[in-house]
Amino acid sequence: MSHLLKGFRQKFLLSITFVILLTLINSLIFPAATWAASSRLGVDNGYLSSCPASDNCVVSQNADSKHAIDPITYHRDRDAAREILLKVLSVVPRTEVIEQTPNYIHALSKSRIFKFVDDVEFYLPPNESVIHLRSASRVGESDLGVNRRRMEQIRLALLDLKI
């Protein structure tokens, strides 16, 4: 009887190991599929989504002190500010605009080595001369300040272009 239990135990452990390995491989190959189902992107009632508790996100609306970043103020008409922002985004390394409307821009930025994806969002409210922004990593707990630095570099580029 113990020989039967031993064989069953080995097969059971092998099955569990296979399931764990398959789950890990799936999460490495298809991380965005899992993430996308639970993500909250876009503008909802005039606000970009808040940041998760992790340290890999910044947002200019309704943020706590850890995640807060100032919006970008502009002194041109909204359409001109939007076009200049799109031009700046076109030269940000490894960044691609994937969605745009008259008051919203969503881009993806990938890290150089590991190709981690960050969602970069901009909201231009119709009656304000500001660009609200949000940048968040899809995976991990910390981004070592990458999202904040990216947004501050975009801000500086826009200031240099006298937005």
Side-chain angles (χ1 to χ4, degrees):
M1 184 72 147
S2 69
H3 191 60
L4 273 174
L5 284 174
K6 189 175 181 183
F8 176 76
R9 181 175 177 232
Q10 285 179 332
K11 286 184 180 182
F12 179 73
L13 289 176
L14 186 61
S15 296
I16 294 294
T17 303
F18 178 75
V19 168
I20 291 171
L21 183 61
L22 189 60
T23 303
L24 288 172
I25 290 171
N26 184 45
S27 67
L28 290 173
I29 295 173
F30 304 111
T34 304
W35 175 88
S38 64
S39 69
R40 294 179 5 234
L41 297 175
V43 179
D44 184 22
N45 291 321
Y47 292 94
L48 293 168
S49 297
S50 58
C51 286
S54 57
D55 292 335
N56 57 7
C57 176
V58 294
V59 66
S60 65
Q61 293 177 302
N62 296 333
D64 58 26
S65 60
K66 178 170 76 169
H67 298 104
I69 190 167
D70 290 333
I72 299 168
T73 304
Y74 60 88
H75 305 288
R76 298 177 179 233
D77 70 60
R78 189 170 69 124
D79 291 336
R82 182 180 169 282
E83 289 306 314
I84 293 169
L85 174 58
L86 285 168
K87 286 180 184 175
V88 167
L89 291 174
S90 73
V91 297
V92 175
R94 298 170 308 282
T95 298
E96 175 187 5
V97 173
I98 61 166
E99 179 185 353
Q100 55 179 301
T101 67
N103 61 354
Y104 175 76
I105 298 170
H106 177 206
L108 299 179
S109 286
K110 293 183 182 179
S111 65
R112 183 178 313 151
I113 297 171
F114 294 110
K115 307 297 182 207
F116 293 131
V117 177
D118 295 343
D119 287 284
V120 182
E121 299 178 279
F122 301 91
Y123 171 50
L124 295 86
N127 300 323
E128 296 179 60
S129 295
V130 298
I131 302 171
H132 287 291
L133 40 106
R134 182 178 187 272
S135 186
S137 301
R138 289 186 175 183
V139 296
E141 286 296 315
S142 175
D143 65 351
L144 303 174
V146 168
N147 283 295
R148 184 175 298 279
R149 280 193 305 276
R150 177 187 305 115
M151 293 310 227
E152 292 301 344
Q153 288 170 345
I154 291 169
R155 178 193 312 280
L156 288 174
L158 291 172
L159 288 174
D160 282 349
L161 294 170
K162 308 231 185 298
I163 194 170

